[in-house]
Amino acid sequence: GHNFAYRCSAPIEATKRHLPDLPWKKVDLGKPFWQCTEAEIKGSPAATITYVFKSFGDIHTTVPVEPHESERAGRFVRQSKTECGIH
């Protein structure tokens, strides 16, 4: 969940971040990403690109985003809607 960062050397298109075997390394931060410094999220040596899960939905439509992106950027990827409509 929120305790993980996904580090990689090149950007991965949002519509592909749900695929298996992506070229990133999943790292346990030991605490929620919002309690981490940028250096802790990026690691040492610093990863070129780092993604975190800011929002959770189903596995098919929610993807991690870069820390500076809105949580909405990772919701309902590959869908025309941006909200589930339940609440």
Side-chain angles (χ1 to χ4, degrees):
H2 293 299
N3 290 4
F4 294 96
Y6 299 81
R7 299 174 182 154
C8 51
S9 59
I12 299 171
E13 185 179 326
T15 58
K16 297 185 187 301
R17 290 185 210 150
H18 71 290
L19 298 172
D21 302 320
L22 290 171
W24 60 27
K25 181 179 180 183
K26 181 179 179 181
V27 179
D28 187 345
L29 299 171
K31 57 188 171 184
F33 74 86
W34 60 83
Q35 294 178 352
C36 297
T37 65
E38 184 176 344
E40 290 173 317
I41 292 173
K42 289 204 166 275
S44 180
T48 304
I49 301 290
T50 306
Y51 299 106
V52 294
F53 273 103
K54 287 189 160 184
S55 182
F56 291 97
D58 67 68
I59 192 168
H60 305 289
T61 61
T62 305
V63 298
V65 296
E66 290 188 68
H68 64 77
E69 291 183 293
S70 163
E71 63 273 3
R72 290 179 186 269
R75 292 183 190 161
F76 299 103
V77 175
R78 301 175 321 281
Q79 304 287 316
S80 61
K81 62 183 182 175
T82 60
E83 292 294 335
C84 65
I86 293 174
H87 50 276

